[in-house]
Amino acid sequence: MASLLRLPSLLSPSKGPLLRRRLPAARLAASAASRGQASAAAETRGGDREGQVTPRSADFNAWYTDVIAAAELADYGPVRGTMVIRPYGYAIWEAIQDYLNVKFKETGHSNMYFPQFIPYSFIEKEASHVEGFSPELALVTIGGGKELEEKLVVRPTSETIVNHMFTKWIHSYRDLPLMINQWANVTRWEMRTKPFIRTLEFLWQEGHTAHATLEEAEKEAMQMIDVYTKFAYEHAAIPVIPGRKSKVETFAGANRTYTIEAMMGDKKALQAGTSHNLGQNFSRAFGTQFMDENGQIEHVWQTSWAISTRFVGGIIMTHGDDAGLMLPPRIAPIQVIIVPIWKKGDEKSAVLEAVDSVQKILKEAGIRVKVDDSELRTPGWKFNHYEMKGVPVRIEIGPRDVTNKSVVVSRRDVPGKQGKEFGVSMEPSILVNHIKGRLDDIQASLLQKAITFRDSNIVDVNSYGELKDAISEGKWARGPWSASDADELKVKEETSATIRCYPFEQPEGTKKCFMTGNPAEEVAIFAKSY
Amino acid sequence: MASLLRLPSLLSPSKGPLLRRRLPAARLAASAASRGQASAAAETRGGDREGQVTPRSADFNAWYTDVIAAAELADYGPVRGTMVIRPYGYAIWEAIQDYLNVKFKETGHSNMYFPQFIPYSFIEKEASHVEGFSPELALVTIGGGKELEEKLVVRPTSETIVNHMFTKWIHSYRDLPLMINQWANVTRWEMRTKPFIRTLEFLWQEGHTAHATLEEAEKEAMQMIDVYTKFAYEHAAIPVIPGRKSKVETFAGANRTYTIEAMMGDKKALQAGTSHNLGQNFSRAFGTQFMDENGQIEHVWQTSWAISTRFVGGIIMTHGDDAGLMLPPRIAPIQVIIVPIWKKGDEKSAVLEAVDSVQKILKEAGIRVKVDDSELRTPGWKFNHYEMKGVPVRIEIGPRDVTNKSVVVSRRDVPGKQGKEFGVSMEPSILVNHIKGRLDDIQASLLQKAITFRDSNIVDVNSYGELKDAISEGKWARGPWSASDADELKVKEETSATIRCYPFEQPEGTKKCFMTGNPAEEVAIFAKSY
């Protein structure tokens, strides 16, 4: 599918989208021109320069959009702020789905599907919910050629319609807990958009549960933020910080919002998943009641929780480098790319035979492996291409390897010769063990690297001045906080940083609020965020 | 989750939907009342009458909506014509997805995702497409509180936006074939709706491919209708008739539409899946071109193909009976339900121990098994409940079975004593073989029954009079046809029957059109349809 001819259109924004890269126009043009040259050259000499991207250190935002284009993760849709998720990007989303879908079922949730059109009046029923979402709504006003009597909201989230249905289904304590999930598209009319991170329409899962008691709802909300945390650490190799949102940052309609906050490569924070204890806010607004074991009528206690395609953006921005994407093996659509190498015609069949056999061995061991034996590209081009795509392990097999019954193994996360091993035996059990070992090493190493990066960029602060310094250096600030919502908004205005969360993991001992000097029960983490 | 208290609200339509059952209001009320009684009685004596539905023979449409409610497959959404797919109905859809998703990947397609908002101008680009779809569009006119400059169409299908993107991605013959699929929701402003069969919003997969030649596109369109046919026969046990649509019935924008047509229990036809050879219609409208191997610029040749949640309705209407749903084992979310039976307290632990062991044995063998050991319901209630849900096999285990180390096995598709086997050994290998054998028997038997039903209700006709007779008896008419589009529309006006397809399987020999007496190359099948 990769085509040099395709590159120019991919690297320039589509007609009229607001999702523009923040590159000076001149640089963009120069870059496109140089790529055009490289492409033209490549046509004749099978050049190796396709997919070069802006260096990450030079311009993180440009790097991000370049990688998305060059690795063919996504493209701009025709409507401002919309995104087309291309097969390789979608495969990462499918890996996220595959893991979470199993976990949701293991924890007692069933998938189902609610309509995306919500009567406008529903949104108005829960006071803070309408306040939070009404500026972002897309409204259907015409259906089947006629003006509708009531405008329909294209769901920005489904709490209202879920509660409308829960009210029909829940009557007795025997109907509880009711625990469901849906995989769906949602629409929020965002003004500043960025592929994967914030788009007009995105894909997500939204869990919704109803319980007989506050305690059960709280336990569920915590359980689901734990599921997300575990997924982020163990599969995406993203060392998120789980915690509680401040009142100001709590979801519109929730009593409490739990969050996982991730530090991106530019040190900005990304809210990567949330879980809300909704209390009885929606059940009161929609009259969702049940008869308890004593015959009393009560409102149900609820939660909702979500992870979206934004997480794909988080993976890109956590692990990528100047050569492109770097995918943690557990969520990589391709874990191993095999590149055959031959020069003389008579070498070809022996090399391809060995390649085929190695592919079969790895596939049977459950490793996601792909062979690129295209003769339209040089091995060098392929090396760059699959580095750009973040494939964790590359295997090269040439005539000498065939003779030695061995292969060359390279790690995506260790550049150059240091990441390269020669003479790895083709003997099935040795090879499989070796590759599985390398995939585990890479998984662990990506996580460790991200932990080190995170921890070296969080500063403990004991005064507002220290917070300002930390934030102006682009770091996260952690300090005791018990000041007012007004103070929190002042920090935001003056530094652009917000409270990302009160982390679950708190230092021991008594604390004094760095803003007011009053006693503080908890430290909060402040950071600039996406 | 099942609750008697929930029934009344489920069985009456929600406020104001047009998805009404065609039942006289009086009957509905009487039926609700008698159910209310049964429910009330059940509360005290654990009654067995929950979930009774209108007999299929008495009123097929009422039976259909009753089964959907009683088996908890779906419910009415708050917006007219929308549907909530409940967990049990969604699990059937997931079974369809699981099978097709693998087949699509095996045949070289990748999943991806296109935005659902399409600029209105796109829809107007392909002449017959806009004619076909414009009466059914839902339009977003307000976003973020502001009137939009261009109205946005909520996708009714994605050919237009797909082609817009294909035009960006395809440049050379090396980029072809481009073969993708998306799982998505689509919106069509239908006036007469029916759960699963025709709803304002529904879920589907839509495949889209681009090829270098007409022949390749034709081969692809045929391949995908074959995938659907195989799925229908082998998994859903629905003996669809694959064929080609008449010009009048061809998809808006296609050169050819292939279809699978299924006969429902009331003998009406259901179009259960389609595959279109789009020719160059969309590539010309959107300028989707490529340079071929000789350096010539050509328009690509395309296909699209889809199966939707409508298929779930097809399964219900093919296999159900008066006791409710009847699911083919290969797509049944629960293949085996185990009901423990005990009377005296001291029997309980031994019975539950055996139940647990049998469940483990079957689960390890890959059988989808569930235990219902609730003490709130009697065994009789459970028998009815899981028959309503169409679970293929029931296992009962009582104290005597424990003593004999055996179980009682009942088939959903063979009513009463004939479907019941006593003394089936609990010995793991014997039990697993036995149950797997029964599931296979049921799968084959449902298909055979549907084939017999289908074939006994298709009449070969040689005159318009014979066709009228067949259609008025509610049957399908098959006869040689080479008449005009006008004649085809006349048949529709006078009999309500349309050409469902020219079946791929054609009788040999020369034929004369039953309408005009002119030579005819093919027979066509006429029927009333959903």
Side-chain angles (χ1 to χ4, degrees), chain B residues 263 345 429 504:
Chain B
M263 184 184 284
S429 68
F504 292 148

Side-chain angles (χ1 to χ4, degrees), chain A residues 101 104 110-112 179-183 205-207 305:
Chain A
N101 211 27
F104 296 160
S110 301
N111 284 335
M112 60 179 300
M179 297 164 78
I180 63 96
N181 176 64
Q182 79 173 353
W183 295 94
Q205 59 68 216
E206 49 179 324
W305 27 276

Side-chain angles (χ1 to χ4, degrees), chain B residues 365-475:
Chain B
I367 294 166
R368 295 187 290 276
V369 56
K370 178 188 155 95
V371 169
D372 186 345
D373 56 5
S374 159
E375 295 187 29
L376 296 170
R377 307 295 184 194
T378 63
W381 183 93
K382 292 176 189 173
F383 292 0
N384 285 355
H385 182 71
Y386 294 101
E387 279 171 15
M388 179 62 67
K389 293 212 159 200
V391 176
V393 165
R394 180 179 74 230
I395 292 180
E396 299 158 43
I397 303 178
R400 221 173 346 163
D401 303 303
V402 173
T403 309
N404 298 338
K405 295 192 187 307
S406 70
V407 302
V408 181
V409 175
S410 297
R411 286 173 65 152
R412 170 67 180 85
D413 64 327
V414 182
K417 281 185 185 168
Q418 278 167 305
K420 212 156 182 171
E421 296 172 287
F422 295 89
V424 176
S425 168
M426 274 188 206
E427 198 281 310
S429 68
I430 298 177
L431 181 66
V432 165
N433 274 338
H434 189 89
I435 297 298
K436 284 195 171 170
R438 283 298 162 268
L439 292 170
D440 287 346
D441 293 346
I442 296 169
Q443 185 78 34
S445 167
L446 289 184
L447 177 62
Q448 194 47 56
K449 207 175 133 204
I451 290 174
T452 306
F453 180 75
R454 178 196 71 182
D455 291 345
S456 64
N457 286 297
I458 301 181
V459 181
D460 284 304
V461 300
N462 283 300
S463 70
Y464 188 32
E466 286 179 15
L467 177 133
K468 281 182 178 167
D469 289 347
I471 298 298
S472 73
E473 286 167 28
K475 299 190 171 187

Side-chain angles (χ1 to χ4, degrees), chain A residues 105, chain B residues 87-103 183 231 235-236 307 311-312 315 327-335 368:
Chain A
K105 288 181 181 179
Chain B
Y88 197 62
Y90 198 84
I92 298 173
W93 178 237
E94 283 179 314
I96 295 172
Q97 290 186 302
D98 288 347
Y99 173 89
L100 290 178
N101 211 29
V102 169
K103 287 291 157 202
W183 295 94
F231 168 70
H235 285 255
I307 265 189
F311 208 98
V312 177
I315 292 167
L327 292 176
R330 290 199 187 150
I331 52 157
I334 306 166
Q335 295 175 311
R368 295 187 290 276

Side-chain angles (χ1 to χ4, degrees), chain B residues 231-272:
Chain B
F231 168 70
Y233 266 86
E234 295 181 5
H235 285 255
I238 301 182
V240 294
I241 294 185
R244 194 181 80 255
K245 284 284 182 194
S246 70
K247 213 181 93 202
V248 169
E249 300 285 335
T250 291
F251 175 75
N255 284 359
R256 278 191 182 184
T257 290
Y258 298 114
T259 180
I260 49 173
E261 298 287 324
M263 184 184 284
M264 300 292 97
D266 61 353
K267 294 175 242 163
K268 282 172 83 171
L270 185 78
Q271 177 181 304

Side-chain angles (χ1 to χ4, degrees), chain A residues 1 3 6 9 14 75 85 94 111-113 115-116 135 137 139 141-142 144 168-169 175 178 185 201, chain B residues 1 3 6 9 75 85 94 105 111-113 115-116 135 137 139 141-142 144 168-169 175 178 185 201:
Chain A
M1 301 300 312
S3 157
R6 197 154 71 227
S9 74
S14 68
D75 202 343
I85 307 179
E94 283 180 313
N111 284 335
M112 60 179 300
Y113 188 75
Q116 75 163 339
L137 299 179
L139 301 178
T141 63
I142 297 171
K168 292 178 71 179
W169 299 333
D175 302 325
L178 182 47
N185 56 343
E201 179 192 3
Chain B
M1 302 301 311
S3 156
R6 197 156 71 227
S9 74
D75 203 342
I85 307 179
E94 283 179 314
K105 287 181 183 180
N111 284 335
M112 61 179 300
Y113 188 76
Q116 75 162 341
L137 300 178
L139 301 178
T141 63
I142 297 171
K168 293 178 72 178
W169 300 334
D175 302 325
L178 182 47
N185 56 341
E201 180 191 4

